[in-house]
Amino acid sequence: MSPGIDALLEQARAGLHRLTPQQTVEAVRGGALLVDTRTDLQRREQGDLPGAVVIDRTVLEWRLDPASAWRIPEATGYDREIVLVCRQGYSSSLAAASLQTLGLRRATDMIGGVDAWLAAGLPTTDRPADIRP
């Protein structure tokens, strides 16, 4: 029998040093890569995050693995700090754990997702999103 999604999420989060929205802002100021995995609809409803790179969850590992032929230029090494965000902080935890399994040991996510970002009064941007197909 399957342990269920709650157990999988708990296991994923056990290996993460998750960040609050304010800690995420500080991490980005310090050079962390902010990656938004929300859908187009979610981004239209909630707004885009300043400085975030938008990567679809379905290609996330290929874009962030420094050894991948399909990586983005910011995927410079396995020690790069990467902070993932989603709408509420659930799928981003699973994605960050997947990146850690891939060798990106400093991959993590933001507690509460963009919902928490907005609740903290942090800004969104009117600039076009930096979408990486």
Side-chain angles (χ1 to χ4, degrees), residues 57 61 93-103:
R57 176 64 190 98
E61 289 82 358
S93 293
L94 297 174
S98 176
L99 292 178
Q100 283 192 353
T101 300
L102 190 61

Side-chain angles (χ1 to χ4, degrees), residues 13-64:
R13 288 179 172 170
L16 302 176
H17 175 71
R18 301 181 76 216
L19 303 179
T20 66
Q22 191 57 47
Q23 289 171 323
T24 298
V25 169
E26 293 303 317
V28 171
R29 284 185 186 143
L33 178 63
L34 182 61
V35 178
D36 189 342
T37 64
R38 290 176 300 149
T39 65
D40 291 339
L41 177 61
Q42 290 170 336
R43 290 188 2 266
R44 277 194 304 272
E45 289 174 351
Q46 292 182 301
D48 287 305
L49 303 183
V53 172
V54 177
I55 302 176
D56 190 89
R57 176 64 190 98
T58 61
V59 296
L60 187 69
E61 289 82 358
W62 287 269
R63 299 301 178 261
L64 295 178

Side-chain angles (χ1 to χ4, degrees), residues 3-4 15 21 31 33 37 44 46 50 55 60 64 66 71-73 81 94 108 112 114-115 117 122 126:
L33 178 63
T37 64
R44 277 194 304 272
Q46 292 182 301
I55 302 176
L60 187 69
L64 295 178
R71 72 187 175 278
I72 62 172
E81 185 176 12
L94 297 174
T108 192
V114 177
D115 284 353
W117 177 281
L122 294 170
D126 292 331

Side-chain angles (χ1 to χ4, degrees), residues 53-93:
V53 172
V54 177
I55 302 176
D56 190 89
R57 176 64 190 98
T58 61
V59 296
L60 187 69
E61 289 82 358
W62 287 269
R63 299 301 178 261
L64 295 178
D65 181 358
S68 170
W70 300 279
R71 72 187 175 278
I72 62 172
E74 294 86 351
T76 55
Y78 290 100
D79 61 344
R80 177 84 196 257
E81 185 176 12
I82 300 169
V83 182
L84 301 177
V85 296
C86 66
R87 185 177 192 132
Q88 296 177 322
Y90 294 100
S91 66
S92 59
S93 293

